[in-house]
Amino acid sequence: GIEFRGLRRVPQDTMRAALHSKVGDILDQESLRQDFQALWNSKRFDDIQVKTETDARGGLVVVFIVKEIQIR
C-alpha cells in the first residue's frame, strides 16, 4: 500500500497518481527516490519523510509523512 500522513488540502488519491510506484509494485530504492523527487518537485511540501510499515495482512506499506507548505 501507499499512504500519506499530514495531507490536509490534497486528497491521497491525487498524490498517489503523481508517484512512479503503484500499489502492488515491487519496492526498490530507485522507485522510492523517484517518488520522493516527484513529491518534492510538486512544491507542496516543506518536509517529506518516507518509511515502511507492515499492514495487518503482512503486506508492506510505504508511508510518506509530509508537512504541507503554509499558505499565508
Side-chain angles (χ1 to χ4, degrees):
I2 300 172
E3 292 181 10
F4 290 88
R5 297 189 186 147
L7 284 179
R8 291 188 172 86
R9 294 187 296 265
V10 182
Q12 291 215 17
D13 288 340
T14 300
M15 294 314 303
R16 279 189 202 102
L19 300 178
H20 176 267
S21 300
K22 303 299 178 208
V23 173
D25 285 356
I26 295 174
L27 182 64
D28 64 57
Q29 291 298 319
E30 180 59 20
S31 293
L32 282 179
R33 188 195 67 73
Q34 289 176 0
D35 292 339
F36 178 92
Q37 198 64 49
L39 293 174
W40 189 254
N41 288 344
S42 74
K43 301 190 186 299
R44 295 177 184 263
F45 307 109
D46 281 329
D47 187 44
I48 303 169
Q49 297 176 33
V50 184
K51 69 178 197 173
T52 58
E53 297 178 351
T54 304
D55 67 13
R57 294 182 280 193
L60 192 63
V61 179
V62 177
V63 181
F64 293 94
I65 303 165
V66 298
K67 180 180 176 194
E68 291 182 340
I69 290 177
Q70 298 296 317
I71 297 175
R72 298 173 204 247

